[in-house]
């Protein structure tokens, strides 16, 4: 099924003038030639022009060549949203080295698995963060990682530091030779899936897939060199690198680097640099709006707000509309495996479309709503979302190679949804989230959307748990507003008043917090593991 697209926004690589055979390094160099001293990044008080970034990444690329790193190798980065991260990324991609995105929230088990699976040769790391010593951890893991040759401090000053490497003299001839070998189909970044439903897999994002997604988003959101966005989504995820940094590499504008999301810190930066674009996962935007200091921020220049990373949050959208009546609101849907956004709300849409759907695919993307046998389902029927084109990656690397794609090359997202006759997609949640209670299919996303509308609820997550009579029943985890007095009975009544009886969760668990992934999503795999452990412990 090929859905219709928004005629007001050309969402193809051609719309941005981007060559589909371009590499990231060439795209940066071209941007530097066009934009020169215009600000590309602000971190946190120093403005880096496009020319600065291109020149600094050239020198750093020579430093990487000096470490005997070259096309096909991989380096890991454990850092925050900081200029060093981006300089390393651009330097690596200029010489065909892929960056493995690693979170400062990962620990020994996760990092050892990812570094081994990706055969990472060098890791650039913060010495420590929030009391965790990464240098000591990598020293522990080193003997178990035969491919690892270098551990280099991002924030150090000695010989084995990024600063020393960045001081490498420019060898223009050697760099030019290395750059000529890089092609658009080379892997530029390896990102491990967030693991909301299970073991992470390493997606191999290519120069072509990253630029295709970035170009499509830049065209759809009509990014210009006058735009300014605060980039708080982590750079080791597509929400940061593609939806943020690379979209503006292609389209223009300035990105203020927010080291990591803290509502107070981001508000301070927004006061200093008033945005024209506001973006983030729903959790981030919710926390911003809940902060009393947001009233002191000049949001009059904001023309567009978009949110992605989970299902549609109608309550958040209503709050955003009230706070920014002049701005257009959009939902964004994308995956690691699509290199970034692949679906967004059209500019022309109804209020109901905004509040209940994720939008339509970009023009370069193909969508299939697939049944259990893989065949396309008619409009209105619920199936798994499959995609081709645009930023869809060729596949996974390492142990997961060959997984996740149909025999004819469609990405099998694991997300359930339906598309109407216009091609507008309603998301039903993860396929693994679906549970069957007494013979009825229950989609937790529908229940979560309803419960999130309760005035005393901050966030909610639903899963299915085994039941000896009904097969499975719903368990709902809820974080309530502090001192709200909200009870389990209140929540069940809220659901009973508005849902069919088989959808009402049989179990409600009130919590002060829910486990989150590094990308800011609720970690349902952790909730399922906790539930399974509880059942086992209880016999």
């Amino acid at each position: 099924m090929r859905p219709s697209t928004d005629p007001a926004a050309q969402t193809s690589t051609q719309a941005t003038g981007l060559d589909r055979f371009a590499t990231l390094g060439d795209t940066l160099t071209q941007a530097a030639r066009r934009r020169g001293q215009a600000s590309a990044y602000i971190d946190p008080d120093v403005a880096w022009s496009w020319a600065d970034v291109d020149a600094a990444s050239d020198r750093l690329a020579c430093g990487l060549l000096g470490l005997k790193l070259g096309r096909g190798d991989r380096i890991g980065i454990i850092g925050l949203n900081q200029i060093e991260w981006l300089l390393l990324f651009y330097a690596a991609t200029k010489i065909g080295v892929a960056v493995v995105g690693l979170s400062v929230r990962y620990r020994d088990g996760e990092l050892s698995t990812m570094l081994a699976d990706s055969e990472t040769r060098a890791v650039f790391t913060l010495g420590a963060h929030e009391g965790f010593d990464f240098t000591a951890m990598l020293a522990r893991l080193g003997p178990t990682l035969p491919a690892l040759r270098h551990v280099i401090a991002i924030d150090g000053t000695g010989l084995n530091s990024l600063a020393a490497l960045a001081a490498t003299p420019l060898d223009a001839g050697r760099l030019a030779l290395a750059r000529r070998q890089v092609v658009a189909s080379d892997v530029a970044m390896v990102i491990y899936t967030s693991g909301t439903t299970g073991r992470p897999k390493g997606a191999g994002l290519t120069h072509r897939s990253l630029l295709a997604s970035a170009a499509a988003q830049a065209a759809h959101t009509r990014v210009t060199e006058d735009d300014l966005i605060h980039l708080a989504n982590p750079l080791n995820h597509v929400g940061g690198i593609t939806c943020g940094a690379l979209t503006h590499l292609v389209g223009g504008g300035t990105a203020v680097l927010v080291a990591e999301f803290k509502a107070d810190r981001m508000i301070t930066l927004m006061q200093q640099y008033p945005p024209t674009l506001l973006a983030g996962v729903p959790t981030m935007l919710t926390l911003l709006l809940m902060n009393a200091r947001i009233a002191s921020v000049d949001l009059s220049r904001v023309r567009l707000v978009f949110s992605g990373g989970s299902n549609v949050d109608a309550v958040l959208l209503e709050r955003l509309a009230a706070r920014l009546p002049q701005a257009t609101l959009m939902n964004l849907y994308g995956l690691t495996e699509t290199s970034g956004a692949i679906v967004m709300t059209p500019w022309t849409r109804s209020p109901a479309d905004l509040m209940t759907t994720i939008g339509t695919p970009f023009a370069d993307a193909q969508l299939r709503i697939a049944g259990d046998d893989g065949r396309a389902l008619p409009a209105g029927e619920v199936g798994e979302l499959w995609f081709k084109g645009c930023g869809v990656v060729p596949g996974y690397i390492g142990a997961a190679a060959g997984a996740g794609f149909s025999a004819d090359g469609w990405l099998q997202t694991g997300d359930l949804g339906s598309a109407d006759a216009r091609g507008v997609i309603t998301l039903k949640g993860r396929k693994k989230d679906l549970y069957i209670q007494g013979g009825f299919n229950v989609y937790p996303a529908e229940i979560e959307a309803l419960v999130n509308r309760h005035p005393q609820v901050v966030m909610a997550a639903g899963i299915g748990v085994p039941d000896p009579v009904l097969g499975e029943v719903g368990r709902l985890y809820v974080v309530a507003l502090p001192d709200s007095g909200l009870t389990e009975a209140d929540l069940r009544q809220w659901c009973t008043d508005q849902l069919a009886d088989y959808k009402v969760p049989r179990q409600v668990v009130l919590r002060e917090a829910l486990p989150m992934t590094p990308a800011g999503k609720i970690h349902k795999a952790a909730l399922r593991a906790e539930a399974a452990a509880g059942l086992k412990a209880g016999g």
Side-chain angles (χ1 to χ4, degrees):
M1 176 171 59
R2 177 62 183 241
S4 61
T5 54
D6 177 16
Q10 300 177 38
T11 54
S12 67
T13 52
Q14 288 75 20
T16 61
L18 185 70
D19 181 355
R20 69 189 184 94
F21 297 107
T23 65
L24 287 157
D26 289 344
T27 305
L28 173 60
T29 298
Q30 291 162 11
R33 289 171 181 164
R34 290 195 309 272
R35 301 171 195 153
Q37 296 305 311
S39 292
Y41 305 107
I42 297 174
D43 174 42
D45 300 312
V46 177
W48 286 71
S49 71
W50 293 102
D52 292 337
V53 173
D54 190 43
S57 60
D58 273 353
R59 292 191 298 273
L60 192 51
C62 290
L64 295 177
L65 290 171
L67 295 177
K68 295 184 170 53
L69 293 168
R71 182 173 177 236
D73 289 330
R74 294 166 187 155
I75 64 171
I77 304 178
I78 305 173
L80 304 174
N81 284 11
Q82 54 196 114
I83 194 63
E84 293 86 355
W85 202 107
L86 287 168
L87 294 178
L88 267 171
F89 174 78
Y90 288 128
T93 57
K94 282 182 175 180
I95 61 171
V97 172
V99 168
V100 181
L102 303 169
S103 171
V104 293
R105 294 174 64 183
Y106 294 156
R107 293 299 180 256
D108 295 41
E110 295 155 312
L111 287 166
S112 62
T113 298
M114 294 175 185
L115 294 173
D117 185 66
S118 60
E119 298 181 329
T120 294
R121 292 194 60 193
V123 174
F124 292 80
T125 181
L126 296 175
H129 179 65
E130 293 187 347
F132 187 80
D133 190 331
F134 287 104
T135 304
M137 179 208 66
L138 289 165
R140 290 194 303 273
L141 298 180
T144 69
L145 300 168
L148 186 61
R149 295 287 182 269
H150 308 281
V151 175
I152 297 170
I154 290 176
D155 47 1
T157 57
L159 292 176
N160 194 37
S161 68
L162 181 62
L165 205 62
T168 303
L170 180 66
D171 186 337
R174 187 182 185 190
L175 178 58
L177 179 62
R179 290 185 66 164
R180 282 196 295 271
Q181 298 176 42
V182 184
V183 296
S185 58
D186 286 346
V187 173
M189 191 167 181
V190 176
I191 300 181
Y192 282 83
T193 55
S194 59
T196 56
T197 59
R199 181 182 176 87
K201 301 185 293 290
L205 287 69
T206 66
H207 292 254
R208 179 181 290 125
S209 72
L210 284 162
L211 287 170
S213 177
Q217 183 181 327
H220 183 83
T221 56
R222 305 173 185 174
V223 170
T224 74
E225 296 184 12
D226 295 325
D227 277 315
L228 185 142
I229 190 169
H230 292 80
L231 185 49
N233 286 316
L235 288 168
N236 59 290
H237 284 275
V238 292
I241 190 63
T242 314
C243 301
L246 298 184
T247 293
H248 291 271
L249 168 67
V250 173
T254 302
V256 179
L257 301 180
V258 183
E260 56 186 332
F261 179 78
K262 306 286 185 187
D264 272 329
R265 176 57 177 157
M266 188 159 171
I267 287 171
T268 297
L269 290 170
M270 291 169 71
Q271 289 172 328
Q272 190 173 359
Y273 306 102
T276 66
L277 302 171
L278 184 59
V281 298
T283 305
M284 291 179 183
L285 296 178
T286 297
L287 291 173
L288 280 177
L289 293 182
M290 288 174 63
N291 193 303
R293 294 182 59 222
I294 194 67
S296 65
V297 177
D298 177 10
L299 297 175
S300 63
R301 296 179 63 233
V302 176
R303 63 174 186 84
L304 177 65
V305 183
F306 57 91
S307 176
S310 67
N311 207 343
V312 176
D313 189 332
V315 175
L316 172 61
L317 290 169
E318 289 169 356
R319 292 171 180 167
L320 288 167
R323 182 66 180 82
L324 298 100
Q326 82 287 355
T328 298
L329 305 182
M330 290 184 180
N331 295 306
L332 177 152
Y333 170 89
L335 304 163
T336 302
E337 295 88 345
T338 61
S339 303
I342 197 166
V343 173
M344 287 190 77
T345 303
W347 285 87
T348 303
R349 45 63 176 173
S350 68
D353 282 344
L354 175 66
M355 295 297 177
T356 60
T357 75
I358 57 172
T360 55
F362 291 146
D364 288 347
Q366 300 173 56
L367 166 69
R368 175 188 292 179
I369 304 295
D372 291 339
D373 60 0
R375 295 182 183 179
L377 297 175
E381 290 198 22
V382 175
E384 185 177 1
L385 273 59
W386 290 13
F387 289 101
K388 270 186 178 181
C390 198
V392 174
V393 302
Y396 297 103
I397 66 144
F405 288 79
S406 68
D408 52 349
W410 288 86
L411 168 66
Q412 300 166 304
T413 67
D415 285 326
L416 293 173
S418 62
D420 64 17
R422 302 168 299 160
V424 178
I425 302 169
T426 299
L427 196 63
K428 295 292 187 179
R430 296 291 294 169
K431 190 174 183 179
K432 291 184 179 180
D433 287 350
L434 168 70
Y435 61 91
I436 302 174
Q437 178 171 302
F440 293 97
N441 289 354
V442 182
Y443 302 99
E446 178 185 5
I447 300 159
E448 292 161 358
L450 171 66
V451 173
N452 280 327
R453 297 189 72 87
H454 193 290
Q456 294 173 319
V457 168
V458 176
M459 66 179 70
I463 64 172
V465 296
D467 181 81
V469 176
L470 297 174
E472 291 178 291
V473 295
R475 175 180 292 180
L476 187 69
Y477 294 87
V478 177
V479 176
L481 288 172
D483 303 318
S484 66
L486 189 66
T487 67
E488 298 173 20
D490 294 334
L491 290 165
R492 274 194 290 271
Q493 190 61 51
W494 178 264
C495 293
T496 299
D497 290 343
Q498 302 175 73
L499 292 173
D501 57 358
Y502 68 88
K503 297 179 183 179
V504 176
R506 297 296 181 95
Q507 302 174 17
V508 177
V509 181
L510 288 164
R511 291 282 178 84
E512 292 184 359
L514 295 178
M516 308 295 285
T517 71
K521 304 177 187 179
I522 296 173
H523 200 328
K524 285 197 173 181
L527 293 175
R528 274 191 286 271
E530 175 191 307
L535 286 169
K536 185 177 180 181

